Amino acid sequence: MSDWNIVVSVREGSFARACKILEKFGPVSRTEFYNVLVMKVKDIQSVLDELRAWMLKDPESLSVLTRLVPVTHTFVFQSPEEFKVKAKETILKWAPQLAGKAFHVRIRRRGFKGRLSSAEEEQLLDKVLLDALEGAKTPGHVNFENPDAVIAVEIVGSRAGLSLWTADDLKTYPFIRLK
């Protein structure tokens, strides 16, 4: 599937069961990466709310999932340089929402091994946001322990998906697991 908006990591031996749970929301596809699925859903919020309801009703109902990360912005890239340009452009859209706040960027990379460093790209994107916030006279700061928000960057092959999650979002939907 080349057009996804959710990336899912599943527990060892739970691939088929995870697919069965998730396919009610929309198409689910395998990726070339071990225990990683991608999905395309029409309404991310309704998926999150329904999964949360299942989890509250039966805490073990989502035990097959290691993490599930919806994304709101996606792009395709062919080189590390193209990734940097497109990722910067995307995250700068969230600068107003991060004004005066604690945040960090978290990248999960599958593919581009040896060509794209998750840690280096996280630092670069954090700095891009810090500079933009400073320039707008609304400085923020990077915080890994107690952030107000986290920007998730999911990379699967040559496609990246990004989303912004507040601390409240992450408490409400603990299966997202961005740490």
Side-chain angles (χ1 to χ4, degrees):
M1 174 183 307
S2 62
D3 183 26
W4 45 261
N5 60 0
I6 296 180
V7 178
V8 183
S9 296
V10 300
R11 295 207 185 282
E12 182 79 32
S14 302
F15 200 85
R17 196 162 142 233
C19 287
K20 185 173 173 71
I21 288 170
L22 297 171
E23 63 192 8
K24 77 170 275 183
F25 300 111
V28 178
S29 293
R30 291 178 175 264
T31 69
E32 64 186 278
F33 304 98
Y34 188 69
N35 283 341
V36 176
L37 302 168
V38 291
M39 302 175 56
K40 178 67 174 179
V41 301
K42 289 182 183 174
D43 183 357
I44 288 172
Q45 190 60 54
S46 68
V47 172
L48 290 174
D49 291 340
E50 191 161 340
L51 290 174
R52 181 174 187 270
W54 287 356
M55 182 192 70
L56 292 173
K57 184 177 171 185
D58 176 10
E60 292 301 309
S61 63
L62 300 181
S63 64
V64 298
L65 307 180
T66 304
R67 49 197 302 273
L68 179 139
V69 181
V71 297
T72 55
H73 297 74
T74 61
F75 59 82
V76 174
F77 62 99
Q78 300 304 317
S79 68
E81 295 74 25
E82 185 180 9
F83 169 80
K84 290 174 189 179
V85 168
K86 290 181 175 181
K88 286 178 190 178
E89 179 182 297
T90 302
I91 66 163
L92 284 172
K93 294 175 186 174
W94 290 312
Q97 292 168 263
L98 297 171
K101 299 209 165 116
F103 65 89
H104 68 269
V105 175
R106 175 63 66 213
I107 295 177
R108 295 281 191 249
R109 180 192 50 75
R110 298 149 194 102
F112 271 75
K113 186 175 182 178
R115 297 179 60 202
L116 198 60
S117 165
S118 297
E120 289 174 17
E121 298 307 317
E122 287 172 350
Q123 291 170 5
L124 173 78
L125 296 174
D126 281 336
K127 182 168 178 5
V128 165
L129 279 168
L130 290 170
D131 290 349
L133 293 171
E134 187 67 36
K137 307 247 186 283
T138 57
H141 62 281
V142 173
N143 184 314
F144 296 100
E145 297 302 316
N146 192 24
D148 297 311
V150 178
I151 294 177
V153 181
E154 295 289 321
I155 301 171
V156 180
S158 61
R159 185 174 181 83
L162 294 82
S163 51
L164 174 68
W165 301 97
T166 66
D168 287 341
D169 293 333
L170 297 173
K171 286 177 190 164
T172 303
Y173 309 109
F175 45 83
I176 293 176
R177 293 187 193 105
L178 296 180
K179 291 188 178 195

